[in-house]
């Protein structure tokens, strides 16, 4: 690797930075650039109808500023904006943002597209970076600044005859590759030309058109700019991070600490090259810290659906908050911790969400709990128990988790991940349908009503078959389960003891079934196992559980 081919861009040395001691306390002004920056990065750009669908989604989510395109660049961009206007699709309170280069015929065409819009942000830009001044434009600093100033004059002139309200936004493109003092000089010239004031603010947008350094350096650049404007109150300081180094979200967060008022980004980070800053990620990060993101993200599945249909790009399965698997645990220890954490959260009725491995409650995004634990060869006994309980209501005794977990692991080691249905089918086969070699035919239980008799006061008369041969046995015990065990021992076909018993309701109400669990041990070889029985009658469920256990011991 010829690493000496590359060098670090030295943009700033900020000695007395203040942003590291600050915290994010509120959401920024959000501006979606999905329909412009995001759209131009698509292999197959959106049609007008797809743009309408995406626009409506962005409005529904809660964006108040939406960059809808580059209407002077192509007919489809122009037609889309006209559709929004002519069909009255722009709600009150939503500002449409359009981008244009600072050329007279393009600015004229842009204003034609905006005719009838009540509030519009007109976004002009030109590149100011050292590299582009040299290899693209071959211009001096003064010539580059003149482009920005002349563009501002043109826009200001056109606003005089425009019926709606026009807000100016200026971007020194490739800001991260520009000397900060020169970037400030150009931005100040734009502000002065426009006549910016506290009542007539201008959006100064500082894009990391190419992410060139670590997020802390970008934060230093933003703080320097924020601190050195002649009149900071006439500026809405905006950032437009890209993700070339994979740290776009971090850069945006640190820039907010450094003074940024506004963030431009896209859903799921769609954009040129490695993408723009991901607004979903950024907003959910704030939400997970108890900060109102001022965006409505409680139906993340709908957002994903519209995005994927319009952009023809899948959301990655590991995407923070939105990925299919981000609220899923395969690891056994993770599954166990989630299972316990969820139960404690429900039991304690906590004000604050605190569940291991889950920084956010999936239900707050409209996600389901069913996908939290999925089972493969890396899963543990706790995960299998969680799936059985969350999907089907079976609350296996703790001591039973390993037994059934081992059965499931044997399957997953052969086939990989398995569904909850496969787990339930195996549970049914192993326990609920364990009816060989012993098969229950009928039984009758009678209790001694004397309260003084605390011994074997229950009699059972049970008929069962063993390998097809029918037997009838009568025995006593201190309850139905003990009586049945004694009857089976009396038949001389088994020699067992009962180690544990548990039961619970499968559902609520008088129609709910009962599940019973019996742990038994063979005395001849010390083998232990569980049996499970289900019935509307708890006594019958218990009797079925005993037969399930002895069939698993003697099969």
């Amino acid at each position: 690797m010829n690493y000496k081919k590359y060098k670090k861009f030295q943009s700033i040395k900020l000695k007395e930075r203040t942003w590291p001691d600050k915290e994010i306390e509120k959401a920024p002004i959000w501006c979606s650039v999905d329909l412009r920056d995001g759209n131009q990065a698509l292999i197959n750009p959106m049609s007008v109808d797809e743009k309408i669908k995406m626009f409506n989604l962005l409005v529904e989510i809660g964006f108040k500023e939406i960059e809808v395109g580059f209407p002077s660049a192509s007919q489809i961009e122009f037609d889309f904006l006209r559709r929004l206007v002519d069909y009255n699709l722009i709600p009150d309170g939503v500002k449409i943002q359009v981008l244009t280069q600072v050329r007279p015929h393009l600015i004229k065409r842009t204003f034609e597209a905006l005719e009838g819009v009540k509030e519009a942000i007109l976004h002009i830009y030109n590149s100011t970076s050292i590299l582009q001044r040299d290899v693209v434009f071959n211009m001096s600093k003064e010539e580059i600044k003149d482009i920005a100033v002349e563009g501002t004059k043109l826009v200001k002139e056109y606003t005089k005859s425009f019926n709606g309200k026009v807000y100016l936004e200026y971007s020194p493109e490739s800001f991260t590759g520009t000397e900060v003092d020169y970037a400030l000089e150009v931005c100040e010239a734009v502000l002065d030309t426009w006549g910016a004031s506290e009542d007539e603010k201008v959006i100064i947008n500082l894009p990391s058109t190419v992410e060139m350094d670590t997020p802390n350096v970008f934060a230093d650049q933003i703080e320097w700019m924020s601190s050195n404007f002649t009149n900071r109150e006439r500026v809405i300081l905006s950032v437009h991070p890209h993700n070339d180094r994979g740290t776009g979200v971090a850069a945006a967060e640190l820039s907010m600490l450094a003074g940024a008022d506004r963030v431009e980004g896209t859903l799921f980070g769609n954009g040129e090259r490695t993408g723009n800053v991901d607004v979903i990620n950024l907003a959910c990060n704030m939400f997970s810290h108890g900060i109102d993101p001022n965006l409505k993200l409680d139906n993340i599945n709908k957002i994903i659906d519209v995005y994927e249909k319009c952009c023809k790009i899948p959301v990655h399965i590991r995407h923070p908050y939105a990925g299919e698997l981000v609220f899923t645990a395969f690891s056994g220890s993770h599954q166990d911790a989630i299972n316990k954490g969820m139960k404690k959260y429900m039991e304690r009725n906590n004000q604050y969400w605190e569940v291991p491995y889950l920084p956010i409650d999936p239900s707050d995004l409209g996600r389901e709990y069913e996908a939290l634990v999925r089972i493969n060869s890396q899963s543990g006994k706790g995960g299998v128990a969680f799936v059985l309980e969350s999907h089907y209501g079976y609350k296996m005794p703790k001591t039973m988790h390993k037994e059934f977990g081992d059965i499931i692991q044997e399957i997953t080691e052969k086939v990989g991940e398995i569904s909850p249905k496969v787990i339930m089918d195996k549970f049914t086969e192993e326990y609920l349908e364990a009816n060989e070699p012993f098969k229950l035919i009928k039984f009758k239980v009678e209790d001694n009503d004397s309260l003084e008799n605390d011994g074997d006061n229950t009699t059972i008369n049970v008929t069962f078959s063993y390998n097809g041969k029918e037997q009838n046995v009568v025995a006593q015990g201190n309850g139905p389960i003990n009586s049945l065990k004694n009857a089976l021992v009396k038949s001389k076909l088994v020699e067992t003891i009962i180690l544990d018993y548990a039961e619970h309701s499968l559902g609520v109400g008088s129609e709910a079934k009962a599940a019973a669990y019996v742990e038994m041990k063979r005395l001849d070889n010390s083998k232990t196992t569980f049996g499970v029985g289900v019935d509307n009658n708890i006594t019958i469920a218990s009797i079925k559980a005993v037969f399930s256990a002895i069939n698993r011991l003697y099969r």
Side-chain angles (χ1 to χ4, degrees):
M1 298 285 291
N2 183 16
Y3 64 92
K4 292 185 178 180
K5 182 179 179 179
Y6 303 95
K7 65 178 181 179
K8 181 178 174 65
F9 179 78
Q10 299 292 342
S11 62
I12 189 171
K13 295 290 184 184
L14 191 63
K15 300 286 186 187
E16 298 179 357
R17 60 184 63 84
T18 63
W19 62 260
D21 296 323
K22 296 180 180 178
E23 295 182 358
I24 295 175
E25 297 178 344
K26 65 177 182 177
I29 300 167
W30 297 109
C31 178
S32 160
V33 293
D34 291 86
L35 293 165
R36 198 277 302 170
D37 208 342
N39 185 58
Q40 74 184 34
L42 298 177
I43 298 171
N44 297 304
M46 291 180 239
S47 65
V48 171
D49 287 340
E50 287 170 336
K51 283 190 166 192
I52 294 292
K53 186 178 292 186
M54 178 63 80
F55 177 80
N56 288 336
L57 174 68
L58 296 171
V59 170
E60 183 180 329
I61 290 171
F63 286 98
K64 301 302 182 185
E65 298 183 5
I66 303 173
E67 190 168 83
V68 296
F70 203 140
S72 63
S74 71
Q75 191 61 44
I76 193 171
E77 298 274 287
F78 188 95
D79 291 344
F80 168 58
L81 180 48
R82 292 316 309 163
R83 176 87 72 89
L84 293 177
V85 178
D86 295 339
Y87 285 78
N88 197 28
L89 298 177
I90 306 170
D92 291 342
V94 173
K95 296 175 186 174
I96 294 301
Q97 180 169 306
V98 290
L99 185 72
T100 184
Q101 294 169 327
V102 287
R103 297 179 184 176
H105 70 288
L106 297 181
I107 292 176
K108 180 176 183 294
R109 180 69 167 163
T110 300
F111 273 93
E112 289 172 358
L114 286 171
E115 188 63 39
V117 174
K118 296 176 183 177
E119 291 187 293
I121 300 169
L122 205 152
H123 184 184
I124 61 173
Y125 70 97
N126 65 307
S127 186
T128 58
S129 71
I130 296 171
L131 184 61
Q132 293 216 37
R133 294 199 311 259
D134 177 29
V135 304
V136 178
F137 299 106
N138 193 26
M139 287 184 175
S140 67
K141 287 183 175 180
E142 199 62 31
E143 289 172 315
I144 292 292
K145 182 172 71 173
D146 286 344
I147 292 174
V149 170
E150 291 304 313
T152 304
K153 288 180 180 178
L154 278 169
V155 173
K156 188 174 183 179
E157 186 64 28
Y158 272 100
T159 59
K160 292 178 181 179
S161 58
F162 186 72
N163 290 326
K165 174 65 177 176
V166 174
Y167 304 87
L168 179 68
E169 175 175 349
Y170 172 70
S171 291
E173 191 198 0
S174 300
F175 165 74
T176 45
T178 305
E179 312 93 317
V180 286
D181 55 346
Y182 176 61
L184 180 66
E185 180 184 336
V186 176
C187 292
E188 290 274 278
V190 168
L191 291 165
D192 292 340
T193 302
W194 185 260
S197 66
E198 293 182 27
D199 297 325
E200 187 69 23
K201 295 179 187 287
V202 169
I203 300 168
I204 296 296
N205 185 53
L206 304 177
S208 56
T209 310
V210 178
E211 191 177 31
M212 300 175 68
D213 214 324
T214 49
N216 61 296
V217 173
F218 186 58
D220 282 350
Q221 292 174 309
I222 299 303
E223 180 167 325
W224 191 93
M225 291 289 289
S226 181
S227 301
N228 284 279
F229 282 113
T230 301
N231 179 3
R232 178 65 174 82
E233 295 304 314
R234 65 177 180 168
V235 174
I236 297 173
L237 187 55
S238 176
V239 292
H240 183 112
H242 277 242
N243 199 44
D244 299 88
R245 293 171 59 90
T247 55
V249 169
E253 290 179 325
L254 298 192
S255 71
M256 289 167 62
L257 299 177
D261 308 305
R262 181 177 184 267
V263 174
E264 294 188 345
T266 61
L267 304 181
F268 308 112
N270 175 47
E272 295 279 14
R273 305 180 309 280
T274 58
N276 287 42
V277 69
D278 180 354
V279 171
I280 299 291
N281 192 346
L282 194 55
C284 286
N285 281 356
M286 294 179 206
F287 182 67
S288 72
H289 280 188
I291 299 169
D292 185 353
N294 291 331
L295 293 175
K296 190 174 184 294
L297 306 175
D298 58 349
N299 191 350
I300 197 72
N301 290 329
K302 178 181 178 181
I303 296 172
I304 293 169
D305 182 59
V306 175
Y307 166 83
E308 290 185 337
K309 286 178 179 175
C310 292
C311 297
K312 283 78 74 176
I313 296 176
V315 173
H316 197 280
I317 60 173
R318 295 295 181 191
H319 182 286
Y321 305 105
E324 180 185 350
L325 296 182
V326 297
F327 296 125
T328 297
F330 290 107
S331 163
S333 60
H334 289 205
Q335 291 172 344
D336 184 58
I338 291 172
N339 189 7
K340 292 174 179 174
M342 291 287 290
K343 287 182 178 178
K344 291 291 185 183
Y345 175 73
M346 298 296 184
E347 290 170 2
R348 294 171 177 173
N349 194 26
N350 283 352
Q351 176 184 355
Y352 298 109
W353 174 259
E354 290 181 315
V355 175
Y357 302 110
L358 294 177
I360 196 171
D361 184 346
S363 68
D364 286 332
L365 300 181
R367 296 287 294 271
E368 298 293 336
Y369 288 124
E370 282 82 350
L372 282 177
V373 174
R374 289 167 59 170
I375 305 302
N376 65 11
S377 61
Q378 301 301 306
S379 305
K381 59 185 185 297
V384 175
F386 180 87
V387 168
L388 265 185
E389 180 174 349
S390 61
H391 285 259
Y392 301 104
Y394 286 92
K395 302 174 184 178
M396 293 189 297
K398 181 73 173 176
T399 48
M400 186 179 172
H401 289 188
K402 184 179 187 310
E403 177 179 293
F404 187 54
D406 289 345
I407 292 170
I408 294 302
Q409 185 165 14
E410 187 176 341
I411 298 173
T412 58
E413 286 177 349
K414 295 176 182 177
V415 301
E417 184 186 358
I418 59 175
S419 68
K421 182 180 182 302
V422 171
I423 294 171
M424 185 62 217
D425 288 347
K426 191 62 179 176
F427 183 80
T428 300
E429 176 191 331
E430 284 287 329
Y431 297 100
L432 304 182
E433 295 178 350
N435 51 19
E436 294 292 341
F438 294 88
K439 187 171 185 179
L440 175 65
I441 298 174
K442 61 182 180 178
F443 72 93
K444 182 178 181 182
V445 174
E446 293 181 340
D447 291 325
N448 184 340
D449 293 333
S450 173
L451 297 177
E452 297 177 359
N453 185 357
D454 59 356
D456 293 340
N457 55 1
T458 300
T459 300
I460 190 168
N461 185 331
V462 60
T463 302
F464 62 90
S465 65
Y466 174 69
N467 286 331
K469 185 177 179 181
E470 189 172 307
Q471 297 203 28
N472 178 262
V473 184
V474 178
Q476 287 76 40
N478 61 9
I481 297 176
N482 182 250
S483 299
L484 177 59
K485 187 270 297 182
N486 292 339
L488 291 169
V489 171
K490 186 176 179 180
S491 72
K492 300 189 182 303
L493 295 173
V494 302
E495 191 175 0
T496 62
I497 59 172
I498 295 174
L499 300 178
D500 196 13
Y501 173 79
E503 64 183 49
H504 66 80
S505 174
L506 282 171
V508 295
S510 59
E511 300 299 318
K513 291 186 176 182
Y517 307 82
V518 174
E519 184 180 18
M520 298 187 74
K521 177 179 180 180
R522 280 180 64 160
L523 297 180
D524 58 343
N525 62 10
S526 296
K527 178 182 177 182
T528 64
T529 194
F530 276 86
V532 183
V534 175
D535 198 89
N536 294 101
N537 183 298
I538 186 58
T539 299
I540 298 175
S542 302
I543 299 299
K544 287 181 177 179
V546 172
F547 271 90
S548 170
I550 62 168
N551 278 320
R552 300 193 77 250
L553 284 173
Y554 286 90
R555 62 186 176 186

